[in-house]
Amino acid sequence: MIVRIVGWILALLPEAERSQIRDEALSVVRQRATEPRAGPRRAMFAGGEMWGALRLVAGAHIDRWNGTTTRGEARMIETTRQDVRFAWRTLRRNPGFALSAIGVLALGIGANAAIFTAANAFFFSPLPFEDSGRLVTVFETNPDFGWEDATAAPANLLDWREEVGAFADVSGYSEFTSQITTFQADGPVVVGGSMVLGNFFDVLGVAPVMGRGFTMDETWQGNGDVVVISHALWLDYFGADPDVVGKTIEFNGGPQEVVGVMPQGFHFPTADTQLWFTNRWDPAARTQVWFRRAHIVRAFARLEPEVSHETAQAQLEVVMDRLEEAYPGTNTRMGAGIMPMRDFLVRGVRTQILVLLGAVGLLLVLACANVANLMLVRANDRTREIALRRAIGAGRGRIVRQLLVESALIAGVGSVLGLVLGSAGVRLLTASQPLGIEGATALALDGRVLAFTAAIGLSAGLFFGIVPAIRLTSDDVDPTLRDGGRGNSGGRGGLRTVRALVATEIALALVLTLGAGLMIRTFAEMRSVDPGFSPEGLVAVQFTVPSTRYQNRDEVLAFYNEMIESLEARPGIVSAGTVGQLPLAGTSWSSQLKADTWGPDRVGYEVLHRRADADYFETVETPLLRGRLFDGRDGPEDPLVIVINEAAAEQYFPGEDPVGQRVAYDREPTPESNWYEIIGIVGNQHQESPKVEPRAEVFENRDQDWGRSSWVVVRGGGEVDGLVPQIREVLGEMDSMIPIARTRVLRDVWRTSMAREEFLLQLLSVFGAVALALASVGVYGVTAQAARRRTQEIGIRMALGAAKEDVVRMMIRQGAAVVAVGLVVGVALTMLTTTALASVLDPMLFGVRPTDPATLVTVVALLSGLAVLASYLPARRAAVVDPVSSLRAE
């Protein structure tokens, strides 16, 4: 029998080595099996463990032989292969442990892979432009206006282009996407268009795949009406016509020549851009005041080779000083700065990405601690096995290596599954669209992400594998073998290590759950903010009245008036109005403000502008606070009038009544300035987000400051689903050749303004929930292990009359002590990093501080409650054990 077992073990080794060790192994087995003395050598043959003991004898003896006689890489590869095979068999025999460890690790690695993919796209992957490291965004600053990264005035941009030698060239684009109508065989189609300078593509370093880009001369009027289209537009709307370049096509009612088709996937500067057209400024504008006053172009430049950012910034400041001296009316205290284009494009999401990276990093550490905990619990069941191997001569290093191979196998499988989960997470991130460099990047798993996943997988394997390996090989083997496996083989040190890991899990779970709690509070506070209008039952559509069929102001205004009347005559529609920009959808243009009664030093530096009619305020239910709204007295030929919001009244007219005052949109009005009478004050509407305070704003009368493109806002008496078909029907009856460019439900607009916070809330909530689950499992495990180790003690206590409730309380106290340590560490960590947390989290929070006591107390209470529940279950199980049975088992 012994010979057959040893032969089975030797069959695992290469054929060339079997005969060399067979006789020696058998001799050792026979000698140790017949030794009369007790001790570790004899104990391994006790009872029914003969088979396992013989396998360990031969395996350990062969391990020792390998350690003393192995030479060369071939032997190392063979030994590693054996370790991997043994580890795989071990995991297969323990599927519950293997699946739990791999699943927890895959979750942590998958979350890290997904978030790192976003970080890689934003921070590391090159922008889709030639030599993108030389591209910088150029912005204007002004402390009077509160500008830190403002768009540029066209005249200033052209001066930079001519005078800053560090710039190889300077270009720019509009940050607003225009809705362009093109006419196809099946009717009109609306596409997104971006207005750019003529050298836009040249400075970016992106060439069309067909035709050409623009020339700088085409920036100005009189040099041809030309457009460049996207690859997607060429495929979808032009049927991949190879002769599309040079064709004249109707865009916005006018003939435009297609001169180029851009590469597939290129959509910069916005994801909606399908068509590019030039600014087409009047050449006379170069000498006009508005050309240096209107900050409407997002400028960027390509640096000359080998020119540093510091050199370019210094030259730019010299030019700005000259411009301030030459044009004090428009350039007083006007500065400029540069920033690498990538940094500028990610400035709005940098903090969120860094927070998510930190969160998933903590989640990975927590997952590793949980897996290490699982392995330590399992190690308690393997102490006898390891002691036997060490007793017959296996070296500590050899055993540690075998255990690390098992950890590496778990980490490897977990990394592969984590990569699958990460890929799914990337698809979810792409679909959600709350974070990104719009039009410039795409999230994708590339070599850098794969390398990162492999690195964290390897690191995780070492992290959770080294502690159990050292723990298992550090104890004296004699007590372990002498105990005969009665449950104490791990020693108190092993349980202390488990408790330390669980306390770490609790601390990390507290930090992650606190982050989720703060975002929950933030989202709740944002939802409670009055947006300044009632979003329920509101739908808005945007379209453009073409100049080819409606050639003047009167015809355009008549069209809008007729449409409003037709809509309000429909059943189910309460009211309708027009506005140039929807609330909570961003801002339009801004200007300075000067009242005719103010002294020379008094000026309103920044006021926003929107165009609206009186019906708009009634439709969205924004209250009139003072004065009146627009009416029949305010026709196109009547004196100019405006309505201001409450923020403008408080900021620029404190302690006085602005109604009746006349204002101009200039720092120093001239005879050419237009003067507007303030006729009313309306409530504030949030322009950007509920967390951003409403800014000073004026509303121009639609009939006096008219435009071809507007939003028509409609309020229905019930659900909004039936409103859009009615709007389409009315518009079709009036002019079937005018397509609706965009449709928005105002409640969705309100929700979208909080999309980034909601997205972070969802992710952090998931991370927090996983952290709570892992921490609860850890508490459960440590309580269950403590109960196993104290089986004999519990049996004695109950035999002497202890009640089950006493046993339960005793075991819960043990789990609660571990939880208390973790909570104290977590709270202390939070308090010690208050400054760092505030600097990182403050931009994302609203109505709550990073160290909000209420949130912290709630999280601590939640963790404590879950920990008590996790401790109660194994404690209750331990308390129902029959004392006689437990003592007999011992």
mmCIF file with all atom_site columns, all heavy atoms in Angstrom, residues 322-344:
data_model
loop_
_atom_site.group_PDB
_atom_site.id
_atom_site.type_symbol
_atom_site.label_atom_id
_atom_site.label_alt_id
_atom_site.label_comp_id
_atom_site.label_asym_id
_atom_site.label_entity_id
_atom_site.label_seq_id
_atom_site.pdbx_PDB_ins_code
_atom_site.Cartn_x
_atom_site.Cartn_y
_atom_site.Cartn_z
_atom_site.occupancy
_atom_site.B_iso_or_equiv
_atom_site.pdbx_formal_charge
_atom_site.auth_seq_id
_atom_site.auth_comp_id
_atom_site.auth_asym_id
_atom_site.auth_atom_id
_atom_site.pdbx_PDB_model_num
ATOM 1   N N   . ARG A 1 322 ? 0.674   95.669  -23.722 1.00 0.00 ? 322 ARG A N   1
ATOM 2   C CA  . ARG A 1 322 ? 0.592   96.650  -24.805 1.00 0.00 ? 322 ARG A CA  1
ATOM 3   C C   . ARG A 1 322 ? -0.858  96.896  -25.198 1.00 0.00 ? 322 ARG A C   1
ATOM 4   O O   . ARG A 1 322 ? -1.271  98.048  -25.434 1.00 0.00 ? 322 ARG A O   1
ATOM 5   C CB  . ARG A 1 322 ? 1.389   96.154  -26.020 1.00 0.00 ? 322 ARG A CB  1
ATOM 6   C CG  . ARG A 1 322 ? 1.460   97.194  -27.154 1.00 0.00 ? 322 ARG A CG  1
ATOM 7   C CD  . ARG A 1 322 ? 1.948   96.601  -28.442 1.00 0.00 ? 322 ARG A CD  1
ATOM 8   N NE  . ARG A 1 322 ? 0.986   95.686  -29.040 1.00 0.00 ? 322 ARG A NE  1
ATOM 9   C CZ  . ARG A 1 322 ? -0.100  96.078  -29.705 1.00 0.00 ? 322 ARG A CZ  1
ATOM 10  N NH1 . ARG A 1 322 ? -0.393  97.364  -29.822 1.00 0.00 ? 322 ARG A NH1 1
ATOM 11  N NH2 . ARG A 1 322 ? -0.914  95.188  -30.232 1.00 0.00 ? 322 ARG A NH2 1
ATOM 12  N N   . LEU A 1 323 ? -1.670  95.822  -25.236 1.00 0.00 ? 323 LEU A N   1
ATOM 13  C CA  . LEU A 1 323 ? -3.068  95.980  -25.623 1.00 0.00 ? 323 LEU A CA  1
ATOM 14  C C   . LEU A 1 323 ? -3.848  96.768  -24.572 1.00 0.00 ? 323 LEU A C   1
ATOM 15  O O   . LEU A 1 323 ? -4.743  97.559  -24.923 1.00 0.00 ? 323 LEU A O   1
ATOM 16  C CB  . LEU A 1 323 ? -3.710  94.604  -25.831 1.00 0.00 ? 323 LEU A CB  1
ATOM 17  C CG  . LEU A 1 323 ? -3.180  93.784  -27.016 1.00 0.00 ? 323 LEU A CG  1
ATOM 18  C CD1 . LEU A 1 323 ? -3.875  92.427  -27.083 1.00 0.00 ? 323 LEU A CD1 1
ATOM 19  C CD2 . LEU A 1 323 ? -3.357  94.533  -28.324 1.00 0.00 ? 323 LEU A CD2 1
ATOM 20  N N   . GLU A 1 324 ? -3.538  96.581  -23.310 1.00 0.00 ? 324 GLU A N   1
ATOM 21  C CA  . GLU A 1 324 ? -4.219  97.343  -22.273 1.00 0.00 ? 324 GLU A CA  1
ATOM 22  C C   . GLU A 1 324 ? -3.917  98.833  -22.408 1.00 0.00 ? 324 GLU A C   1
ATOM 23  O O   . GLU A 1 324 ? -4.801  99.681  -22.232 1.00 0.00 ? 324 GLU A O   1
ATOM 24  C CB  . GLU A 1 324 ? -3.802  96.857  -20.890 1.00 0.00 ? 324 GLU A CB  1
ATOM 25  C CG  . GLU A 1 324 ? -4.511  97.597  -19.762 1.00 0.00 ? 324 GLU A CG  1
ATOM 26  C CD  . GLU A 1 324 ? -4.186  97.027  -18.396 1.00 0.00 ? 324 GLU A CD  1
ATOM 27  O OE1 . GLU A 1 324 ? -3.299  96.150  -18.308 1.00 0.00 ? 324 GLU A OE1 1
ATOM 28  O OE2 . GLU A 1 324 ? -4.825  97.465  -17.406 1.00 0.00 ? 324 GLU A OE2 1
ATOM 29  N N   . GLU A 1 325 ? -2.687  99.136  -22.752 1.00 0.00 ? 325 GLU A N   1
ATOM 30  C CA  . GLU A 1 325 ? -2.304  100.536 -22.924 1.00 0.00 ? 325 GLU A CA  1
ATOM 31  C C   . GLU A 1 325 ? -2.935  101.125 -24.174 1.00 0.00 ? 325 GLU A C   1
ATOM 32  O O   . GLU A 1 325 ? -3.365  102.287 -24.181 1.00 0.00 ? 325 GLU A O   1
ATOM 33  C CB  . GLU A 1 325 ? -0.785  100.642 -23.002 1.00 0.00 ? 325 GLU A CB  1
ATOM 34  C CG  . GLU A 1 325 ? -0.269  102.072 -23.123 1.00 0.00 ? 325 GLU A CG  1
ATOM 35  C CD  . GLU A 1 325 ? 1.239   102.132 -23.140 1.00 0.00 ? 325 GLU A CD  1
ATOM 36  O OE1 . GLU A 1 325 ? 1.884   101.102 -22.831 1.00 0.00 ? 325 GLU A OE1 1
ATOM 37  O OE2 . GLU A 1 325 ? 1.782   103.201 -23.462 1.00 0.00 ? 325 GLU A OE2 1
ATOM 38  N N   . ALA A 1 326 ? -3.039  100.317 -25.236 1.00 0.00 ? 326 ALA A N   1
ATOM 39  C CA  . ALA A 1 326 ? -3.570  100.827 -26.505 1.00 0.00 ? 326 ALA A CA  1
ATOM 40  C C   . ALA A 1 326 ? -5.090  100.906 -26.509 1.00 0.00 ? 326 ALA A C   1
ATOM 41  O O   . ALA A 1 326 ? -5.667  101.774 -27.184 1.00 0.00 ? 326 ALA A O   1
ATOM 42  C CB  . ALA A 1 326 ? -3.082  99.956  -27.660 1.00 0.00 ? 326 ALA A CB  1
ATOM 43  N N   . TYR A 1 327 ? -5.758  99.999  -25.772 1.00 0.00 ? 327 TYR A N   1
ATOM 44  C CA  . TYR A 1 327 ? -7.222  99.939  -25.806 1.00 0.00 ? 327 TYR A CA  1
ATOM 45  C C   . TYR A 1 327 ? -7.780  99.905  -24.382 1.00 0.00 ? 327 TYR A C   1
ATOM 46  O O   . TYR A 1 327 ? -8.313  98.884  -23.924 1.00 0.00 ? 327 TYR A O   1
ATOM 47  C CB  . TYR A 1 327 ? -7.684  98.701  -26.583 1.00 0.00 ? 327 TYR A CB  1
ATOM 48  C CG  . TYR A 1 327 ? -7.091  98.584  -27.962 1.00 0.00 ? 327 TYR A CG  1
ATOM 49  C CD1 . TYR A 1 327 ? -6.020  97.713  -28.210 1.00 0.00 ? 327 TYR A CD1 1
ATOM 50  C CD2 . TYR A 1 327 ? -7.572  99.342  -29.029 1.00 0.00 ? 327 TYR A CD2 1
ATOM 51  C CE1 . TYR A 1 327 ? -5.464  97.609  -29.472 1.00 0.00 ? 327 TYR A CE1 1
ATOM 52  C CE2 . TYR A 1 327 ? -7.025  99.240  -30.288 1.00 0.00 ? 327 TYR A CE2 1
ATOM 53  C CZ  . TYR A 1 327 ? -5.965  98.373  -30.505 1.00 0.00 ? 327 TYR A CZ  1
ATOM 54  O OH  . TYR A 1 327 ? -5.406  98.264  -31.758 1.00 0.00 ? 327 TYR A OH  1
ATOM 55  N N   . PRO A 1 328 ? -7.685  100.987 -23.649 1.00 0.00 ? 328 PRO A N   1
ATOM 56  C CA  . PRO A 1 328 ? -8.143  100.983 -22.252 1.00 0.00 ? 328 PRO A CA  1
ATOM 57  C C   . PRO A 1 328 ? -9.646  100.765 -22.110 1.00 0.00 ? 328 PRO A C   1
ATOM 58  O O   . PRO A 1 328 ? -10.111 100.246 -21.097 1.00 0.00 ? 328 PRO A O   1
ATOM 59  C CB  . PRO A 1 328 ? -7.723  102.377 -21.745 1.00 0.00 ? 328 PRO A CB  1
ATOM 60  C CG  . PRO A 1 328 ? -7.623  103.225 -22.979 1.00 0.00 ? 328 PRO A CG  1
ATOM 61  C CD  . PRO A 1 328 ? -7.154  102.303 -24.061 1.00 0.00 ? 328 PRO A CD  1
ATOM 62  N N   . GLY A 1 329 ? -10.425 101.112 -23.122 1.00 0.00 ? 329 GLY A N   1
ATOM 63  C CA  . GLY A 1 329 ? -11.869 100.944 -23.030 1.00 0.00 ? 329 GLY A CA  1
ATOM 64  C C   . GLY A 1 329 ? -12.304 99.500  -23.004 1.00 0.00 ? 329 GLY A C   1
ATOM 65  O O   . GLY A 1 329 ? -13.372 99.178  -22.466 1.00 0.00 ? 329 GLY A O   1
ATOM 66  N N   . THR A 1 330 ? -11.517 98.617  -23.589 1.00 0.00 ? 330 THR A N   1
ATOM 67  C CA  . THR A 1 330 ? -11.901 97.205  -23.657 1.00 0.00 ? 330 THR A CA  1
ATOM 68  C C   . THR A 1 330 ? -10.911 96.279  -22.971 1.00 0.00 ? 330 THR A C   1
ATOM 69  O O   . THR A 1 330 ? -11.267 95.135  -22.643 1.00 0.00 ? 330 THR A O   1
ATOM 70  C CB  . THR A 1 330 ? -12.024 96.755  -25.126 1.00 0.00 ? 330 THR A CB  1
ATOM 71  O OG1 . THR A 1 330 ? -10.776 97.012  -25.799 1.00 0.00 ? 330 THR A OG1 1
ATOM 72  C CG2 . THR A 1 330 ? -13.126 97.517  -25.836 1.00 0.00 ? 330 THR A CG2 1
ATOM 73  N N   . ASN A 1 331 ? -9.685  96.693  -22.764 1.00 0.00 ? 331 ASN A N   1
ATOM 74  C CA  . ASN A 1 331 ? -8.653  95.783  -22.264 1.00 0.00 ? 331 ASN A CA  1
ATOM 75  C C   . ASN A 1 331 ? -8.111  96.161  -20.890 1.00 0.00 ? 331 ASN A C   1
ATOM 76  O O   . ASN A 1 331 ? -7.075  95.649  -20.483 1.00 0.00 ? 331 ASN A O   1
ATOM 77  C CB  . ASN A 1 331 ? -7.489  95.709  -23.258 1.00 0.00 ? 331 ASN A CB  1
ATOM 78  C CG  . ASN A 1 331 ? -7.802  94.841  -24.445 1.00 0.00 ? 331 ASN A CG  1
ATOM 79  O OD1 . ASN A 1 331 ? -8.755  95.079  -25.164 1.00 0.00 ? 331 ASN A OD1 1
ATOM 80  N ND2 . ASN A 1 331 ? -7.010  93.796  -24.652 1.00 0.00 ? 331 ASN A ND2 1
ATOM 81  N N   . THR A 1 332 ? -8.811  97.030  -20.168 1.00 0.00 ? 332 THR A N   1
ATOM 82  C CA  . THR A 1 332 ? -8.356  97.384  -18.830 1.00 0.00 ? 332 THR A CA  1
ATOM 83  C C   . THR A 1 332 ? -8.361  96.160  -17.922 1.00 0.00 ? 332 THR A C   1
ATOM 84  O O   . THR A 1 332 ? -9.378  95.466  -17.811 1.00 0.00 ? 332 THR A O   1
ATOM 85  C CB  . THR A 1 332 ? -9.252  98.479  -18.230 1.00 0.00 ? 332 THR A CB  1
ATOM 86  O OG1 . THR A 1 332 ? -9.145  99.648  -19.045 1.00 0.00 ? 332 THR A OG1 1
ATOM 87  C CG2 . THR A 1 332 ? -8.827  98.806  -16.814 1.00 0.00 ? 332 THR A CG2 1
ATOM 88  N N   . ARG A 1 333 ? -7.200  95.889  -17.320 1.00 0.00 ? 333 ARG A N   1
ATOM 89  C CA  . ARG A 1 333 ? -6.981  94.752  -16.417 1.00 0.00 ? 333 ARG A CA  1
ATOM 90  C C   . ARG A 1 333 ? -7.253  93.411  -17.096 1.00 0.00 ? 333 ARG A C   1
ATOM 91  O O   . ARG A 1 333 ? -7.523  92.402  -16.440 1.00 0.00 ? 333 ARG A O   1
ATOM 92  C CB  . ARG A 1 333 ? -7.835  94.885  -15.156 1.00 0.00 ? 333 ARG A CB  1
ATOM 93  C CG  . ARG A 1 333 ? -7.588  96.160  -14.357 1.00 0.00 ? 333 ARG A CG  1
ATOM 94  C CD  . ARG A 1 333 ? -8.249  96.091  -13.010 1.00 0.00 ? 333 ARG A CD  1
ATOM 95  N NE  . ARG A 1 333 ? -7.569  95.124  -12.148 1.00 0.00 ? 333 ARG A NE  1
ATOM 96  C CZ  . ARG A 1 333 ? -8.009  94.757  -10.939 1.00 0.00 ? 333 ARG A CZ  1
ATOM 97  N NH1 . ARG A 1 333 ? -9.152  95.276  -10.480 1.00 0.00 ? 333 ARG A NH1 1
ATOM 98  N NH2 . ARG A 1 333 ? -7.344  93.892  -10.213 1.00 0.00 ? 333 ARG A NH2 1
ATOM 99  N N   . MET A 1 334 ? -7.184  93.411  -18.415 1.00 0.00 ? 334 MET A N   1
ATOM 100 C CA  . MET A 1 334 ? -7.398  92.178  -19.169 1.00 0.00 ? 334 MET A CA  1
ATOM 101 C C   . MET A 1 334 ? -6.065  91.437  -19.283 1.00 0.00 ? 334 MET A C   1
ATOM 102 O O   . MET A 1 334 ? -5.098  91.964  -19.809 1.00 0.00 ? 334 MET A O   1
ATOM 103 C CB  . MET A 1 334 ? -7.951  92.480  -20.561 1.00 0.00 ? 334 MET A CB  1
ATOM 104 C CG  . MET A 1 334 ? -8.518  91.260  -21.280 1.00 0.00 ? 334 MET A CG  1
ATOM 105 S SD  . MET A 1 334 ? -10.057 90.697  -20.539 1.00 0.00 ? 334 MET A SD  1
ATOM 106 C CE  . MET A 1 334 ? -11.125 92.093  -20.916 1.00 0.00 ? 334 MET A CE  1
ATOM 107 N N   . GLY A 1 335 ? -6.039  90.229  -18.751 1.00 0.00 ? 335 GLY A N   1
ATOM 108 C CA  . GLY A 1 335 ? -4.850  89.406  -18.849 1.00 0.00 ? 335 GLY A CA  1
ATOM 109 C C   . GLY A 1 335 ? -5.109  88.189  -19.712 1.00 0.00 ? 335 GLY A C   1
ATOM 110 O O   . GLY A 1 335 ? -6.204  88.008  -20.258 1.00 0.00 ? 335 GLY A O   1
ATOM 111 N N   . ALA A 1 336 ? -4.084  87.355  -19.867 1.00 0.00 ? 336 ALA A N   1
ATOM 112 C CA  . ALA A 1 336 ? -4.224  86.138  -20.667 1.00 0.00 ? 336 ALA A CA  1
ATOM 113 C C   . ALA A 1 336 ? -3.298  85.070  -20.111 1.00 0.00 ? 336 ALA A C   1
ATOM 114 O O   . ALA A 1 336 ? -2.277  85.373  -19.482 1.00 0.00 ? 336 ALA A O   1
ATOM 115 C CB  . ALA A 1 336 ? -3.918  86.408  -22.138 1.00 0.00 ? 336 ALA A CB  1
ATOM 116 N N   . GLY A 1 337 ? -3.666  83.834  -20.316 1.00 0.00 ? 337 GLY A N   1
ATOM 117 C CA  . GLY A 1 337 ? -2.845  82.726  -19.865 1.00 0.00 ? 337 GLY A CA  1
ATOM 118 C C   . GLY A 1 337 ? -2.934  81.570  -20.833 1.00 0.00 ? 337 GLY A C   1
ATOM 119 O O   . GLY A 1 337 ? -3.780  81.552  -21.732 1.00 0.00 ? 337 GLY A O   1
ATOM 120 N N   . ILE A 1 338 ? -2.024  80.617  -20.656 1.00 0.00 ? 338 ILE A N   1
ATOM 121 C CA  . ILE A 1 338 ? -2.037  79.418  -21.489 1.00 0.00 ? 338 ILE A CA  1
ATOM 122 C C   . ILE A 1 338 ? -2.068  78.192  -20.589 1.00 0.00 ? 338 ILE A C   1
ATOM 123 O O   . ILE A 1 338 ? -1.653  78.237  -19.432 1.00 0.00 ? 338 ILE A O   1
ATOM 124 C CB  . ILE A 1 338 ? -0.818  79.357  -22.437 1.00 0.00 ? 338 ILE A CB  1
ATOM 125 C CG1 . ILE A 1 338 ? 0.474   79.206  -21.636 1.00 0.00 ? 338 ILE A CG1 1
ATOM 126 C CG2 . ILE A 1 338 ? -0.767  80.570  -23.335 1.00 0.00 ? 338 ILE A CG2 1
ATOM 127 C CD1 . ILE A 1 338 ? 1.688   78.931  -22.497 1.00 0.00 ? 338 ILE A CD1 1
ATOM 128 N N   . MET A 1 339 ? -2.569  77.122  -21.153 1.00 0.00 ? 339 MET A N   1
ATOM 129 C CA  . MET A 1 339 ? -2.640  75.853  -20.450 1.00 0.00 ? 339 MET A CA  1
ATOM 130 C C   . MET A 1 339 ? -2.558  74.741  -21.490 1.00 0.00 ? 339 MET A C   1
ATOM 131 O O   . MET A 1 339 ? -3.142  74.890  -22.575 1.00 0.00 ? 339 MET A O   1
ATOM 132 C CB  . MET A 1 339 ? -3.958  75.745  -19.674 1.00 0.00 ? 339 MET A CB  1
ATOM 133 C CG  . MET A 1 339 ? -4.107  74.495  -18.819 1.00 0.00 ? 339 MET A CG  1
ATOM 134 S SD  . MET A 1 339 ? -5.759  74.393  -18.046 1.00 0.00 ? 339 MET A SD  1
ATOM 135 C CE  . MET A 1 339 ? -5.730  75.853  -16.998 1.00 0.00 ? 339 MET A CE  1
ATOM 136 N N   . PRO A 1 340 ? -1.819  73.664  -21.229 1.00 0.00 ? 340 PRO A N   1
ATOM 137 C CA  . PRO A 1 340 ? -1.842  72.557  -22.185 1.00 0.00 ? 340 PRO A CA  1
ATOM 138 C C   . PRO A 1 340 ? -3.282  72.194  -22.534 1.00 0.00 ? 340 PRO A C   1
ATOM 139 O O   . PRO A 1 340 ? -4.153  72.143  -21.659 1.00 0.00 ? 340 PRO A O   1
ATOM 140 C CB  . PRO A 1 340 ? -1.138  71.427  -21.415 1.00 0.00 ? 340 PRO A CB  1
ATOM 141 C CG  . PRO A 1 340 ? -0.220  72.131  -20.471 1.00 0.00 ? 340 PRO A CG  1
ATOM 142 C CD  . PRO A 1 340 ? -0.951  73.386  -20.064 1.00 0.00 ? 340 PRO A CD  1
ATOM 143 N N   . MET A 1 341 ? -3.529  71.984  -23.808 1.00 0.00 ? 341 MET A N   1
ATOM 144 C CA  . MET A 1 341 ? -4.904  71.766  -24.250 1.00 0.00 ? 341 MET A CA  1
ATOM 145 C C   . MET A 1 341 ? -5.558  70.619  -23.499 1.00 0.00 ? 341 MET A C   1
ATOM 146 O O   . MET A 1 341 ? -6.738  70.705  -23.113 1.00 0.00 ? 341 MET A O   1
ATOM 147 C CB  . MET A 1 341 ? -4.948  71.508  -25.759 1.00 0.00 ? 341 MET A CB  1
ATOM 148 C CG  . MET A 1 341 ? -6.362  71.270  -26.277 1.00 0.00 ? 341 MET A CG  1
ATOM 149 S SD  . MET A 1 341 ? -6.493  71.056  -28.052 1.00 0.00 ? 341 MET A SD  1
ATOM 150 C CE  . MET A 1 341 ? -6.460  72.760  -28.589 1.00 0.00 ? 341 MET A CE  1
ATOM 151 N N   . ARG A 1 342 ? -4.812  69.546  -23.251 1.00 0.00 ? 342 ARG A N   1
ATOM 152 C CA  . ARG A 1 342 ? -5.404  68.420  -22.524 1.00 0.00 ? 342 ARG A CA  1
ATOM 153 C C   . ARG A 1 342 ? -5.853  68.871  -21.134 1.00 0.00 ? 342 ARG A C   1
ATOM 154 O O   . ARG A 1 342 ? -6.975  68.567  -20.706 1.00 0.00 ? 342 ARG A O   1
ATOM 155 C CB  . ARG A 1 342 ? -4.399  67.287  -22.386 1.00 0.00 ? 342 ARG A CB  1
ATOM 156 C CG  . ARG A 1 342 ? -4.888  66.174  -21.449 1.00 0.00 ? 342 ARG A CG  1
ATOM 157 C CD  . ARG A 1 342 ? -3.814  65.150  -21.200 1.00 0.00 ? 342 ARG A CD  1
ATOM 158 N NE  . ARG A 1 342 ? -3.463  64.490  -22.435 1.00 0.00 ? 342 ARG A NE  1
ATOM 159 C CZ  . ARG A 1 342 ? -4.187  63.529  -22.997 1.00 0.00 ? 342 ARG A CZ  1
ATOM 160 N NH1 . ARG A 1 342 ? -5.324  63.139  -22.431 1.00 0.00 ? 342 ARG A NH1 1
ATOM 161 N NH2 . ARG A 1 342 ? -3.807  62.969  -24.115 1.00 0.00 ? 342 ARG A NH2 1
ATOM 162 N N   . ASP A 1 343 ? -4.990  69.599  -20.422 1.00 0.00 ? 343 ASP A N   1
ATOM 163 C CA  . ASP A 1 343 ? -5.341  70.029  -19.074 1.00 0.00 ? 343 ASP A CA  1
ATOM 164 C C   . ASP A 1 343 ? -6.576  70.918  -19.091 1.00 0.00 ? 343 ASP A C   1
ATOM 165 O O   . ASP A 1 343 ? -7.419  70.839  -18.198 1.00 0.00 ? 343 ASP A O   1
ATOM 166 C CB  . ASP A 1 343 ? -4.171  70.779  -18.437 1.00 0.00 ? 343 ASP A CB  1
ATOM 167 C CG  . ASP A 1 343 ? -2.976  69.880  -18.176 1.00 0.00 ? 343 ASP A CG  1
ATOM 168 O OD1 . ASP A 1 343 ? -3.134  68.648  -18.288 1.00 0.00 ? 343 ASP A OD1 1
ATOM 169 O OD2 . ASP A 1 343 ? -1.892  70.406  -17.868 1.00 0.00 ? 343 ASP A OD2 1
ATOM 170 N N   . PHE A 1 344 ? -6.667  71.758  -20.108 1.00 0.00 ? 344 PHE A N   1
ATOM 171 C CA  . PHE A 1 344 ? -7.839  72.643  -20.189 1.00 0.00 ? 344 PHE A CA  1
ATOM 172 C C   . PHE A 1 344 ? -9.111  71.845  -20.445 1.00 0.00 ? 344 PHE A C   1
ATOM 173 O O   . PHE A 1 344 ? -10.154 72.110  -19.848 1.00 0.00 ? 344 PHE A O   1
ATOM 174 C CB  . PHE A 1 344 ? -7.635  73.682  -21.286 1.00 0.00 ? 344 PHE A CB  1
ATOM 175 C CG  . PHE A 1 344 ? -8.729  74.701  -21.356 1.00 0.00 ? 344 PHE A CG  1
ATOM 176 C CD1 . PHE A 1 344 ? -8.703  75.813  -20.533 1.00 0.00 ? 344 PHE A CD1 1
ATOM 177 C CD2 . PHE A 1 344 ? -9.790  74.548  -22.234 1.00 0.00 ? 344 PHE A CD2 1
ATOM 178 C CE1 . PHE A 1 344 ? -9.726  76.759  -20.582 1.00 0.00 ? 344 PHE A CE1 1
ATOM 179 C CE2 . PHE A 1 344 ? -10.808 75.476  -22.288 1.00 0.00 ? 344 PHE A CE2 1
ATOM 180 C CZ  . PHE A 1 344 ? -10.769 76.587  -21.462 1.00 0.00 ? 344 PHE A CZ  1
#
